[in-house]
Amino acid sequence: MSLRPSPRPTAHPLRYSYGTNGLTDLRLDDALSLLADLGYDGVGLTLDHMHLDPLAPDLAARTHKLARRLDELGLGVTIETGARYVLDPRRKHGPSLLDPDPDQRARRADLLVRAVRIATDLGAYAVHCFSGILPKDTAGETDTEGQTAAAEDAAWKRLAETLTPVLDAATAAGIPLAVEPEPGHLLATLDDFHRLRTDLGSPDALGLTLDIGHCQCLEPLSPADCVRAAAPWLRHVQIEDMRRGVHEHLPFGDGEIDFPPVLEALAAVGYQGLVSVELPRHSHAGPQLAQHSLPFLHHAAAVSTPPDADRPPNPGEGSTDSDGRTP
């Protein structure tokens, strides 16, 4: 397999990374070397046992060593906290920020505070997180819509309270906490992000992780219009292909997303962070997909057209069920 860097369009400002949750069959240093050799600008680092374990001994020393390595390779970094079993070997993504047990919620909050400290030591751009699904104690069978709404209101209150110490740590560190709307979770959409932001009093440290595939999956706006709508709060971007109504992360070209307008929108709104390829279920082919993904993104950026600055965003532009694909 050739590891020659992908030609980089000099006129396009976006910077690309690849998530280590899609390279779990590689040692971390091998994964970082691969990405640097391929020409990526950075890495989306998922804190997990096979790479940088946030719960193992000597975390500070290991983080310091990693910081030196990232500097040697010229890679930027964002911190991802979506490891499936890093806290509980039996519950995927458990415990969450919504866990019925306050001690368990505190474990998730502690992980996020650790992530902020790691981000500080690595010079990361943001720390990613998500809400978790509505737990059974609040999402169980209810008799009326009013009871269901009350249960969801309680879950939103729980989420805001649990995130408060994490936001305090992020504020002190000067690193944004970027919450990701995740299909199937309590916080699933851009509207849900704004509900949380309002509940918390719009703290400066609270930002947004926008997953472009999730926009295609369930948002009413096109992915490009989601970028424009989210721009003031945008701190981290994940990208992959996806189909309408199906939450399945796909390699580029296997879904329905028209990528040139998305990348043009990101450039037009002045997004400064990393655009990170997110293929967590494709680690078996991670090196090959990392090699193919960067030229795809560079080509999509090169063929995108400059936006008309005088034209306001059109919510109907770029239908979410479009079959247009970038070659």
Side-chain angles (χ1 to χ4, degrees):
M1 180 180 72
S2 170
L3 296 182
R4 289 176 295 178
S6 169
R8 183 188 306 272
T10 56
H12 211 279
L14 298 181
R15 300 161 60 246
Y16 302 106
S17 63
Y18 200 95
T20 59
N21 61 359
L23 296 169
T24 57
D25 292 316
L26 276 65
R27 297 177 183 87
L28 179 57
D29 192 65
D30 290 339
L32 297 178
S33 297
L34 171 74
L35 298 181
D37 288 345
L38 290 174
Y40 282 89
D41 301 289
V43 58
L45 177 64
T46 294
L47 302 180
D48 209 348
H49 64 88
M50 79 289 289
H51 287 151
L52 184 66
D53 189 339
L55 304 179
D58 301 321
L59 177 60
R62 290 183 287 116
T63 303
H64 182 66
K65 180 180 179 181
L66 176 57
R68 292 201 309 268
R69 184 61 176 150
L70 289 169
D71 186 61
E72 290 170 0
L73 295 172
L75 293 174
V77 60
T78 52
I79 300 299
E80 303 267 359
T81 61
R84 294 181 179 92
Y85 298 102
V86 68
L87 290 176
D88 189 323
R90 294 175 176 84
R91 289 189 297 161
K92 180 182 176 182
H93 296 148
S96 78
L97 295 166
L98 304 175
D99 198 282
D101 185 338
D103 291 337
Q104 293 298 308
R105 295 198 300 274
R107 291 181 62 207
R108 175 61 63 172
D110 176 71
L111 174 67
L112 296 180
V113 171
R114 286 172 180 254
V116 170
R117 293 173 185 154
I118 292 169
T120 302
D121 291 341
L122 295 180
Y125 297 97
V127 172
H128 149 278
C129 72
F130 46 61
S131 69
I133 63 173
L134 195 67
K136 291 182 179 179
D137 78 315
T138 53
E141 295 184 4
T142 53
D143 295 329
T144 68
E145 291 184 6
Q147 287 175 312
T148 301
E152 290 189 358
D153 287 344
W156 281 103
K157 181 179 179 181
R158 185 182 290 175
L159 176 61
E161 290 175 347
T162 310
L163 273 180
T164 295
V166 184
L167 286 165
D168 289 343
T171 299
I175 294 176
L177 184 70
V179 180
E180 177 187 6
E182 182 78 21
H185 285 211
L186 176 69
L187 197 159
T189 67
L190 289 174
D191 284 347
D192 293 334
F193 166 74
H194 289 301
R195 173 171 179 167
L196 176 65
R197 184 175 61 84
T198 300
D199 288 348
L200 288 165
S202 301
D204 291 340
L206 181 66
L208 175 70
T209 292
L210 189 69
D211 187 300
I212 300 302
H214 295 174
C215 297
Q216 176 71 17
C217 179
L218 52 71
E219 293 286 352
L221 298 176
S222 72
D225 282 328
C226 285
V227 169
R228 287 185 277 269
W233 304 277
L234 198 54
R235 302 295 179 267
H236 182 39
V237 172
Q238 298 169 344
I239 194 166
E240 69 286 312
D241 218 337
M242 203 168 287
R243 300 186 183 100
R244 184 69 177 171
V246 182
H247 184 203
E248 181 183 2
H249 291 234
L250 299 172
F252 297 120
D254 287 358
E256 301 169 342
I257 298 176
D258 185 16
F259 286 95
V262 174
L263 300 180
E264 187 56 57
L266 285 168
V269 301
Y271 174 66
Q272 298 294 308
L274 293 167
V275 179
S276 193
V277 179
E278 182 81 356
L279 293 171
R281 296 189 177 183
H282 292 77
S283 280
H284 62 284
Q288 292 77 28
L289 286 170
Q291 183 181 17
H292 296 155
S293 295
L294 190 59
F296 181 98
L297 291 168
H298 282 166
H299 176 74
V303 301
S304 60
T305 56
D308 181 354
D310 296 327
R311 180 179 59 83
N314 177 8
E317 182 181 270
S319 172
T320 54
D321 60 357
S322 168
D323 61 358
R325 300 180 188 177
T326 303

